[in-house]
Amino acid sequence: VQLQASGGGLVQAGGSLRLSCTFDGRTFNRYHMGWFRQAPGKEREFVGWITASGGEVYYADSVKGRFTISRDNAKNTLFLQMSSLKPEDTAVYYCGQGYGSRELNYDYWGQGTLVTVSS
């Protein structure tokens, strides 16, 4: 399984950005997927995850109401739509194949894409 995250960049506070994660390997629609992020000098933290069907989505409190996770199973792609961005959202964002809020539940990770939010 190979995951490739993309879409990061520099955005002003209050702006929006959409990240994508392509899944190359086994059947995408069989697997739950998630997003994590790692800010400079901090540990990786959970952002949210989505069930294989896309029917259920769960978010960290810090992003609830601002971020939306979705997936297109026909295109083997996971998305993270980020709105109302804050400087504290600055981090490298990682997609992973797994479920829940703990890293140990994830088997594969993408390489990460950097999001920088300027104030």
Side-chain angles (χ1 to χ4, degrees):
V1 173
Q2 288 189 333
L3 303 176
Q4 180 80 26
S6 62
L10 175 64
V11 62
Q12 288 189 334
S16 299
L17 206 60
R18 188 175 83 157
L19 306 184
S20 299
C21 174
T22 56
F23 180 101
D24 181 16
R26 297 166 290 175
T27 308
F28 181 62
N29 61 10
R30 295 181 180 177
Y31 298 100
H32 305 320
M33 299 290 295
W35 287 97
F36 281 69
R37 66 185 181 184
Q38 187 167 19
K42 296 187 177 181
E43 294 185 351
R44 192 180 299 192
E45 67 172 4
F46 169 71
V47 173
W49 72 282
I50 185 168
T51 57
S53 67
E56 296 176 53
V57 189
Y58 302 89
Y59 299 97
D61 288 343
S62 59
V63 306
K64 200 173 296 182
R66 300 187 299 120
F67 289 12
T68 302
I69 296 174
S70 62
R71 62 192 297 161
D72 184 339
N73 284 346
K75 296 183 178 179
N76 283 17
T77 304
L78 173 73
F79 300 101
L80 177 65
Q81 177 68 49
M82 304 183 293
S83 302
S84 301
L85 282 161
K86 306 174 182 180
E88 51 264 43
D89 294 318
T90 294
V92 177
Y93 283 73
Y94 298 91
C95 57
Q97 182 261 296
Y99 65 94
S101 61
R102 297 193 298 171
E103 289 185 64
L104 60 86
N105 291 335
Y106 290 74
D107 295 321
Y108 299 97
W109 295 95
Q111 85 290 358
T113 185
L114 176 62
V115 173
T116 303
V117 184
S118 63
S119 56

